[in-house]
């Protein structure tokens, strides 16, 4: 799957990627979820603050990765949409049943202690498409763009480590880029955990 023109039609590419992701059979999706948990193990050390997400729609399920992180002694944080603006909080997942639905977006969130992304060690970032240079295409809401904007100012700090999570079919040659886009550090798919940008020989 490629984006063949520099003038990429963002709407068409989003539609193409959604269709490819939705078309994956349940057995392939389950195997991919198990595979990424194996590949992600090197990032899940004791004491690490790990930002995850709850899969929505056809997104790759991160539950096994987050369970492995907890088992290894890491802290797991889930995104929380703010009342105003688009800069996400991350709330620490605990044993108590403190789940609720966001009143507007109707997505599941957890009421735990809150941190900003800057204080996490690793953030697993959901996406719709990602290119070989490490730029992602999201759903269009702009939440992760706003949340990770600080990395444009502190790109050399390398913290938190930004790991895009996707099926192999979501990797394309190029996605549309804007001035505010932040490049991911790693790509996690069923094929493995790979440093970005991807080189042709190892892609």
């Amino acid at each position: 799957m490629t984006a063949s023109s520099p003038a990429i039609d963002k709407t068409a590419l989003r539609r193409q990627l959604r269709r490819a992701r939705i078309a994956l059979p349940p057995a392939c999706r389950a195997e991919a979820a198990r595979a990424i948990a194996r590949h992600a193990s090197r990032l899940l050390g004791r004491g690490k603050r790990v930002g995850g997400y709850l899969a929505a729609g056809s997104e790759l399920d991160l539950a096994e990765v987050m369970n492995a992180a907890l088992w290894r002694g890491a802290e797991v944080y889930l995104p929380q949409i703010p009342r105003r603006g688009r800069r996400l909080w991350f709330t620490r997942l605990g044993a108590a049943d403190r789940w609720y639905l966001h009143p507007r977006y109707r997505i599941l969130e957890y009421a735990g202690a809150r941190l900003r992304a800057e204080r996490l060690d690793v953030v697993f970032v959901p996406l719709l498409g990602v290119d070989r240079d490490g730029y992602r295409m999201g759903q269009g809401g702009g939440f992760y763009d706003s949340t990770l904007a600080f990395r444009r100012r502190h790109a050399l700090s390398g913290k938190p480590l930004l790991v895009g999570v996707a099926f192999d079919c979501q990797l394309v040659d190029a996605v549309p880029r804007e001035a505010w886009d932040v490049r991911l550090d790693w790509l996690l798919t069923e094929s493995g955990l790979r440093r970005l940008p991807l080189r042709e020989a190892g892609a």
Side-chain angles (χ1 to χ4, degrees):
M1 186 183 304
T2 60
S4 58
S5 170
I8 303 168
D9 184 330
K10 186 179 291 188
T11 300
L13 182 57
R14 277 202 173 100
R15 187 182 304 117
Q16 180 184 7
L17 288 166
R18 285 195 183 100
R19 286 174 177 169
R21 195 170 67 179
I22 290 170
L24 292 170
C28 292
R29 304 177 68 84
E31 176 54 34
R34 290 191 292 269
I36 67 164
R38 295 193 300 271
H39 301 320
S41 61
R42 60 191 284 194
L43 303 176
L44 307 178
R46 177 171 296 276
K48 294 276 189 180
R49 292 174 170 175
V50 176
Y53 65 85
L54 298 178
S58 59
E59 288 178 342
L60 208 164
D61 192 348
L62 202 66
E64 290 198 41
V65 174
M66 295 189 293
N67 286 337
L70 292 170
W71 185 83
R72 289 168 177 263
E75 299 175 2
V76 171
Y77 291 78
L78 296 175
Q80 181 188 65
I81 297 174
R83 293 183 180 179
R84 294 183 179 85
R86 296 185 179 276
R87 190 179 173 209
L88 296 169
W89 286 98
F90 286 82
T91 63
R92 185 177 177 181
L93 182 61
D97 184 4
R98 303 178 66 181
W99 298 99
Y100 64 94
L101 284 175
H102 188 278
R104 177 179 177 185
Y105 294 98
R106 308 304 293 171
I107 62 174
L108 204 59
E109 296 183 333
Y110 189 81
R114 302 195 306 178
L115 291 179
R116 290 296 191 186
E118 293 92 315
R119 297 185 61 191
L120 300 175
D121 296 300
V122 181
V123 177
F124 290 101
V125 183
L127 54 87
L128 187 55
V130 59
D131 67 23
R132 296 177 183 277
D133 289 329
Y135 290 94
R136 66 181 285 274
M137 171 184 279
Q139 299 287 353
F143 289 103
Y144 277 90
D145 290 330
S146 298
T147 303
L148 304 176
F150 69 93
R151 276 293 300 270
R152 295 200 305 275
R153 302 185 298 274
H154 306 289
L156 297 180
S157 72
K159 187 176 177 181
L161 197 68
L162 304 181
V163 182
V165 182
F167 296 100
D168 284 328
C169 67
Q170 295 172 256
L171 175 62
V172 298
D173 288 340
V175 299
R177 298 181 193 174
E178 306 290 350
W180 53 81
D181 287 338
V182 174
R183 193 172 68 82
L184 301 170
D185 301 305
W186 293 81
L187 176 61
L188 177 63
T189 73
E190 64 266 39
S191 294
L193 177 65
R194 294 173 283 177
R195 186 184 293 274
L196 295 165
L198 295 177
R199 306 301 179 190
E200 287 298 327

